[in-house]
């Protein structure tokens, strides 16, 4: 490898160090870094190799406001960008192509795969001292897992992609690699997870300093998620039951490992996202403590010191309506009446609702920085005029710190959840429903949905422990219930964007108008009117179910077949 390539690797390496708790690397003149220095056989602590691996960790999915300041969920029916003409809107108006894609990650993921292969090829040259030999084995397994993770990020965007294996390609190699099929790509990911699962750090992690590292539970979760995607309608057009069975079995393995690793639903829904280490997080992108989420997403009328909140994300009425009542029933059926005083009331729409609604969405009246949110027309958080503000009458509150009684923001833990245990339970419920139906035993699909709802704070109900999930549902009814539960539980975690595609329902969901709420204040009285948003929504099937491979890659590689419709 040439020195310039080494310098480039160390340049991108240092960018990830603050995130992954690295120490300063520049203990050697940068212009003299060589391959021999990076993979120094005498580096008995593996210091330089460890920095290199930490940099690869820094390439994991970062989430939050990552697309030109907006969430990926603002490209679904759950939210819209508060600003006009935001880049994220290209996903909802058909504006992305082989030449322009705000979430194009082809080059980045293949660069990360190359880094993994460089590590796997060269790290064995490093002669770590005997007491660190086991650590070195962990690092090798982690690099293989990370490579599989980057392939998964490619597969969910593009479908089947070229699998490079362990090769480190050079300009002297034939780079015109054809695409592997989607099934081959998923099978490769699953096989890599199987290969390294018992070589990774065991669960639970013994050292707090290792939190964020790859463990056996992480590998089992990636394998299960990849197989669930492969079983889903987009990738399983014949509804092959064996695919669902394979996913179900993989998810059962993950649940069994969760017991070993002491993973469980965290008692507090909000603490899942505000505590660096808790029982529910399986893998998260490790960020420094910040207040950037609050500044980016809190309602626009709030100041923290001299900094105004930007309110970038406007949740839709569709998302708000997806949250059930406090009894776990749809708002369309659990309506307030003389005999049902705790039902849904259109004149007081946020009362008696699933507690997760208040943890996920800022609606009018929610306490924040020592005052109530004002999203009524003319309120401080919806003042009108040309300033960027909510388009829907709502702002996103999920992930934000507990600042209801504060006067300013302070730095918080905001690690983006890549895998968490609630997702594992919901995926298992989905696969089990497709294989076995809802069931009626104690280990039925009902068990897992009720556990999620119990943690959410939904009332158990008069029939003991149903949490609004009544017995006797058909497979179709249970499927819709699971999908809605995923929507409310996993909101803004970059799940729905991919769920709409893998379920192959995006063409139905996208091609209809979205809505918000218009609140009018007269004296002390509020009136609520649902209004249609002037936001174009367009999804062209089957083209938009996959991203286009960048045209620059197609031009360079004549064996690389473009996705349909581009």
């Amino acid at each position: 490898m040439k020195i310039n390539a080494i310098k480039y690797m160390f340049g991108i390496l240092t960018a990830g160090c603050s995130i992954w708790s690295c120490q300063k690397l520049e203990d050697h003149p940068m212009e003299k870094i060589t391959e021999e220095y990076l993979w120094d056989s005498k580096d008995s602590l593996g210091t330089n190799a460890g920095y290199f691996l930490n940099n690869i960790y820094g390439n994991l999915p970062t989430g939050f406001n990552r697309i030109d300041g907006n969430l990926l969920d603002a490209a679904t029916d759950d939210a819209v960008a508060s600003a006009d003409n935001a880049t994220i809107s290209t996903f909802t108006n058909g504006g992305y192509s082989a030449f322009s894609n705000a979430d194009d990650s082809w080059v980045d993921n293949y660069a990360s795969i190359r880094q993994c292969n460089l590590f796997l090829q060269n790290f064995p040259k490093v002669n770590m001292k005997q007491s660190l030999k086991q650590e070195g084995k962990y690092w090798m397994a982690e690099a293989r897992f990370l490579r599989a993770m980057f392939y998964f990020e490619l597969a969910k965007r593009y479908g089947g992609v070229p699998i490079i294996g362990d090769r480190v390609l050079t300009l002297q190699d034939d780079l015109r690699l054809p695409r592997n099929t989607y099934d081959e790509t998923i099978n490769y990911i699953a096989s890599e997870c199987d290969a390294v699962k018992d070589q990774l750090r065991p669960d639970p992690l013994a050292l707090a300093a290792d939190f964020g590292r790859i463990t056996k539970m992480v590998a089992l979760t990636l394998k299960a998620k990849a197989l669930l995607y492969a079983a889903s309608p987009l990738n399983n057009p014949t509804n092959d039951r064996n695919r669902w069975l394979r996913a179900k079995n993989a998810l059962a393995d993950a649940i069994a490992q969760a017991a070993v690793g002491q993973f469980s639903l965290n008692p507090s829904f909000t603490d899942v996202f505000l505590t660096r280490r808790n029982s529910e997080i399986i893998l998260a992108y490790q960020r420094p403590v910040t207040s950037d989420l609050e500044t980016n997403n809190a309602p626009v009328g709030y100041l923290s010191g001299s900094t105004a909140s930007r309110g970038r994300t406007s949740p839709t009425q569709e998302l708000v309506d997806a949250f059930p009542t406090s009894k776990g029933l749809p708002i369309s059926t659990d309506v307030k009446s003389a005999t049902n005083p705790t039902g849904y009331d259109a004149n007081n729409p946020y009362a008696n609702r699933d507690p997760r609604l208040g943890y996920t969405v800022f609606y009018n009246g929610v306490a924040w920085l020592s005052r109530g949110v004002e999203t009524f027309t003319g309120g401080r958080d919806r003042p009108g005029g040309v300033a960027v503000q909510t388009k829907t009458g709502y702002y996103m509150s999920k992930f934000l710190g507990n600042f209801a009684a504060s006067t300013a923001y302070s730095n918080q833990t905001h690690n983006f959840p890549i895998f968490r245990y609630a997702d594992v339970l919901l995926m298992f419920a989905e696969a089990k429903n497709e294989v076995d139906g809802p069931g009626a035993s104690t280990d039925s699909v009902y068990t897992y949905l009720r556990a999620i709802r119990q943690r959410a704070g939904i009332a158990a109900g008069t029939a003991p422990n149903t949490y609004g999930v009544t017995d006797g549902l058909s497979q179709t009814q249970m499927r819709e219930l699971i999908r809605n539960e995923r929507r409310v539980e996993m909101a803004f975690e970059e799940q729905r964007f991919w769920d709409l595609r893998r379920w192959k329902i995006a063409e139905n969901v996208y091609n209809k108008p979205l809505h918000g709420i218009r609140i009018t204040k007269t004296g002390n009285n509020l009136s609520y009117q649902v209004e249609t948003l002037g936001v174009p929504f367009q999804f062209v099937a089957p083209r938009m179910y996959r991203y286009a491979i960048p045209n620059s890659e197609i031009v360079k590689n004549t064996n690389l077949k473009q996705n349909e419709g581009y």
Side-chain angles (χ1 to χ4, degrees):
M1 184 180 296
K2 296 182 179 179
I3 293 177
N4 284 342
I6 297 290
K7 289 172 68 177
Y8 169 75
M9 284 190 291
F10 271 80
I12 58 175
L13 188 154
T14 56
C17 285
S18 63
I19 296 174
W20 293 94
S21 303
C22 296
Q23 299 174 354
K24 188 175 180 182
L25 180 61
E26 295 178 28
D27 60 346
H28 193 84
M30 291 297 289
E31 68 275 8
K32 294 185 178 180
I33 291 174
T34 63
E35 183 176 4
E36 289 73 23
Y37 178 77
L38 179 59
W39 311 111
D40 185 359
S41 62
K42 298 178 182 179
D43 183 8
S44 63
L45 299 179
T47 302
N48 298 332
Y51 284 132
F52 191 89
L53 181 62
N54 284 349
N55 176 67
I56 303 175
Y57 267 95
N59 298 334
L60 284 168
T62 60
F64 300 138
N65 299 80
R66 67 177 180 84
I67 300 181
D68 196 25
N70 289 285
L71 280 77
L72 183 62
D73 296 69
T76 72
D77 55 339
D78 280 356
V80 296
S82 298
D84 292 332
N85 303 315
T87 302
I88 195 71
S89 65
T90 59
F91 289 104
T92 58
N93 62 20
Y96 64 90
S97 68
F99 299 91
S100 177
N101 184 341
D103 187 41
D104 179 26
S105 63
W106 182 278
V107 172
D108 288 345
N109 277 299
Y110 270 112
S112 298
I113 289 167
R114 178 179 175 80
Q115 286 181 290
C116 292
N117 283 350
L118 282 166
F119 184 89
L120 292 167
Q121 183 182 86
N122 291 288
F123 179 65
K125 302 174 185 176
V126 179
N127 186 24
M128 294 178 72
K129 62 182 183 179
Q130 189 62 38
S131 62
L132 294 177
K133 291 291 186 182
Q134 182 57 56
E135 184 73 9
K137 292 178 181 178
Y138 289 150
W139 287 2
M140 288 289 285
E142 288 168 27
R144 285 185 71 176
F145 169 86
L146 290 165
R147 181 175 63 184
M149 184 75 192
F150 299 131
Y151 274 112
F152 179 65
E153 291 298 306
L154 287 165
K156 70 184 184 183
R157 289 168 169 81
Y158 305 99
V161 296
I163 297 174
I164 298 172
D166 295 331
R167 292 175 292 171
V168 178
L169 298 175
T170 69
L171 294 177
Q172 285 68 48
D173 292 310
D174 185 356
L175 304 179
R176 296 170 299 173
L177 301 176
R179 296 175 67 171
N180 290 81
T181 66
Y182 179 82
D183 287 349
E184 288 170 342
T185 305
I186 294 297
N187 286 336
Y188 175 78
I189 294 166
S191 66
E192 284 294 284
C193 290
D194 280 338
V196 302
K197 64 183 181 183
D198 293 320
Q199 301 171 21
L200 292 162
R201 298 169 200 270
D203 301 294
L205 285 168
L207 300 176
D210 285 338
F211 185 69
R213 290 285 180 182
I214 307 304
T215 68
K216 181 175 182 178
M217 181 65 180
V218 179
L220 291 177
T221 303
L222 174 60
K223 174 187 175 181
K225 198 173 190 78
L227 293 178
L228 184 81
Y229 272 54
S232 300
L234 176 64
N235 307 305
N236 185 15
T238 63
N239 197 28
D240 183 350
R241 183 178 180 274
N242 287 329
R243 290 188 178 226
W244 286 109
L245 181 60
R246 189 181 179 198
K248 175 195 165 186
N249 291 340
L251 285 156
D253 289 342
I255 290 173
Q257 179 63 20
V260 174
Q262 300 176 17
F263 292 98
S264 62
L265 294 175
N266 199 64
S268 169
F269 181 73
T270 55
D271 283 354
V272 172
F273 312 105
L274 297 174
T275 306
R276 187 168 294 277
R277 185 177 186 182
N278 62 75
S279 64
E280 189 162 335
I281 294 296
I282 298 169
L283 178 66
Y285 186 88
Q286 303 295 295
R287 302 169 85 242
V289 292
T290 66
S291 59
D292 62 324
L293 261 69
E294 288 77 15
T295 301
N296 276 322
N297 298 292
V300 297
Y302 290 92
L303 290 174
S304 178
S306 60
T307 303
S309 300
R310 300 185 181 96
R312 293 180 181 272
T313 306
S314 296
T316 61
Q317 190 65 44
E318 280 73 13
L319 173 61
V320 171
D321 288 349
F323 286 86
T325 66
S326 57
K327 298 191 285 290
L329 302 174
I331 63 172
S332 59
T333 60
D334 187 19
V335 179
K336 182 178 180 180
S337 66
T339 57
N340 184 28
T342 59
Y344 172 72
D345 182 0
N347 296 315
N348 189 13
Y350 314 120
N352 302 317
R353 298 292 295 274
D354 180 339
R356 289 173 295 186
L357 174 59
Y359 300 146
T360 305
V361 173
F362 282 115
Y363 50 78
N364 189 73
V366 170
W368 189 248
L369 291 190
S370 299
R371 74 163 171 87
V373 171
E374 296 180 1
T375 52
F376 52 83
T377 300
R380 281 177 281 185
D381 304 305
R382 199 173 194 180
V386 297
V388 173
Q389 60 197 276
T390 179
K391 291 179 177 175
T392 62
Y394 304 108
Y395 292 95
M396 186 194 79
S397 64
K398 192 170 184 178
F399 314 120
L400 276 57
N402 182 14
F403 293 111
S406 303
T407 57
Y409 304 139
S410 59
N411 287 339
Q412 303 288 307
T413 293
H414 291 310
N415 294 334
F416 178 69
I418 299 171
F419 299 139
R420 65 181 177 100
Y421 190 56
D423 188 19
V424 171
L425 295 182
L426 287 168
M427 290 191 294
F428 183 69
E430 181 180 347
K432 186 172 178 61
N433 184 56
E434 297 301 329
V435 173
D436 305 320
S441 68
T442 55
D443 188 35
S444 68
V445 176
Y446 293 94
T447 305
Y448 302 95
L449 256 66
R450 287 168 178 166
I452 296 286
R453 288 183 162 211
Q454 181 183 22
R455 189 276 298 277
I458 289 174
T462 53
N465 303 321
T466 62
Y467 303 97
V469 185
T470 57
D471 291 330
L473 296 177
S474 69
Q475 185 183 55
T476 299
Q477 290 172 322
M478 180 60 80
R479 181 184 300 126
E480 292 306 310
L481 189 61
I482 292 169
R483 290 181 177 183
N484 192 76
E485 197 68 23
R486 282 191 65 80
R487 183 178 193 177
V488 300
E489 173 71 23
M490 309 298 294
F492 304 121
E493 296 181 47
E494 294 203 357
Q495 299 288 338
R496 186 153 179 85
F497 185 89
W498 305 113
D499 284 346
L500 292 175
R501 286 157 174 77
R502 69 179 179 89
W503 292 331
K504 209 172 182 183
I505 61 173
E507 58 202 274
N508 301 321
V509 170
Y510 278 84
N511 292 325
K512 56 186 179 182
L514 294 176
H515 299 86
I517 196 77
R518 178 65 61 176
I519 307 174
T520 302
K521 185 176 184 181
T522 307
N524 292 323
N525 298 319
L526 300 174
S527 61
Y528 301 85
Q529 180 65 46
V530 174
E531 62 179 6
T532 301
L533 303 179
V535 180
F537 235 49
Q538 179 182 0
F539 189 93
V540 181
R543 174 170 63 90
M544 292 176 68
Y545 278 108
R546 305 280 193 208
Y547 287 1
I549 295 173
N551 185 70
S552 58
E553 300 298 321
I554 297 293
V555 170
K556 289 185 291 187
N557 182 356
T558 56
N559 290 329
L560 199 59
K561 185 178 179 182
Q562 182 59 279
N563 279 327
E564 182 179 1
Y566 293 100

